[in-house]
């Protein structure tokens, strides 16, 4: 059983009361905001989730897909792995730069690409074979590429190239055959490891 303090009990009482008593205003920290729509740029990333929970840490938004389970007549919310959005400047998926122990592999040729940065929506990479040039797109013409994560899980996807410069390619993810949840978990773990100080008072 969880014991709540007097302040915590007052907080829940205020949330579920029809209206504050006359002359009484809730402190901003006691206000609960409810958004009835998911931002359009997150709908595809979060899949078929109908419910989401938004947590804000520093200038990051963590959007958790929420599913409900029913046991003995009780509804229990289950949080999925969040999509991390950097809201500093323009909103965009948070990216990890030069992630270690990752490789992107072309299924047909077995050529490897060096990953320079990775997010939930795309990747920046470098061709390692000096004999190959970006303009030829020799590794990206195939329908499927395989991203190998450090835990040996694989993500099968295809890319849509948006920028090329020498042997550097920036591309967004076009399709996921499998592994989107694994990629999201890797990015979430990377974010927690890099910004551990932001998570000190957060239970996730």
């Amino acid at each position: 059983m969880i014991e709540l303090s007097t302040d915590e009990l007052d907080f829940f009482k205020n949330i579920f009361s029809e209206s504050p008593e006359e002359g009484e205003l809730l402190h901003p920290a006691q206000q609960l905001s409810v958004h009835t729509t998911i931002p359009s740029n997150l709908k595809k990333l979060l899949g078929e989730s109908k419910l989401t929970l938004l947590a804000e840490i520093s200038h990051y938004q963590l959007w958790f897909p929420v599913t409900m389970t029913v046991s003995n007549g009780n509804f229990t919310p289950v949080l999925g792995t969040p999509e991390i959005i950097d809201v500093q400047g323009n909103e965009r998926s948070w990216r990890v730069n030069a992630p270690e122990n990752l490789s992107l592999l072309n299924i047909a040729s077995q050529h490897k690409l060096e990953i320079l940065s990775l997010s939930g929506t795309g990747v920046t990479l470098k061709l390692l074979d000096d004999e190959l040039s970006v303009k030829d797109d020799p590794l990206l013409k195939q329908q499927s590429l395989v991203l190998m994560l450090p835990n040996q899980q694989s993500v099968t996807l295809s890319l849509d190239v948006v920028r090329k410069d020498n042997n550097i390619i920036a591309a967004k993810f076009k399709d996921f055959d499998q592994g989107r949840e694994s990629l999201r978990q890797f990015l979430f773990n990377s974010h927690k490891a890099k910004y551990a100080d932001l998570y000190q008072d957060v239970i996730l």
Side-chain angles (χ1 to χ4, degrees), residues 98-188:
E100 297 181 359
N101 302 322
L102 289 182
S103 62
L104 191 61
L105 188 68
N106 179 278
I107 295 176
S109 68
Q110 300 299 304
H111 283 294
K112 288 186 178 181
L113 301 162
E114 179 184 358
I115 297 176
L116 303 179
S117 68
L118 178 69
S119 75
T121 57
V123 63
T124 303
L125 43 89
K126 179 180 181 181
L127 297 181
L128 297 179
D129 193 333
D130 292 335
E131 296 180 1
L132 301 175
S133 64
V134 170
K135 65 180 181 180
D136 297 326
D137 280 349
L139 304 182
L140 300 177
K141 290 180 179 178
Q142 298 297 320
Q143 289 295 317
S144 294
L145 298 170
V146 175
L147 173 65
M148 297 301 299
L149 299 174
N151 58 6
Q152 301 305 309
Q153 288 185 300
S154 62
V155 180
T156 305
L157 49 84
S158 59
L159 301 177
D160 187 7
V161 177
V162 295
R163 188 173 65 256
K164 307 174 187 178
D165 183 20
N166 294 325
N167 276 19
I168 306 297
I169 298 172
K172 61 183 180 180
F173 299 137
K174 187 165 55 176
D175 293 302
F176 275 82
D177 292 334
Q178 63 178 28
R180 180 182 283 279
E181 182 69 16
S182 297
L183 174 59
R184 191 184 298 157
Q185 185 68 60
F186 168 76
L187 292 171
F188 182 42

Side-chain angles (χ1 to χ4, degrees), residues 7-34:
D7 289 341
E8 290 170 328
L9 290 171
D10 289 341
F11 168 75
F12 284 107
K13 180 181 177 182
N14 288 329
I15 287 177
F16 294 105
S17 63
E18 292 185 4
S19 61
E21 295 179 6
E22 185 177 352
E24 179 186 354
L25 293 177
L26 292 179
H27 186 277
Q30 295 179 310
Q31 295 178 8
L32 181 68
S33 297
V34 177

Side-chain angles (χ1 to χ4, degrees), residues 45-88:
L45 295 175
L46 294 173
E48 299 301 318
S49 177
K50 302 301 182 184
L51 298 173
T52 58
L53 174 66
L54 169 62
E56 295 185 333
I57 302 177
S58 184
H59 59 274
Y60 298 105
Q61 292 182 343
L62 277 62
W63 289 85
F64 293 83
V66 181
T67 55
M68 303 296 290
T69 61
V70 182
S71 177
N72 298 323
N74 295 320
F75 288 91
T76 303
V78 179
L79 298 183
T81 307
E83 189 70 30
I84 304 172
I85 303 298
D86 185 343
V87 297
Q88 195 171 46

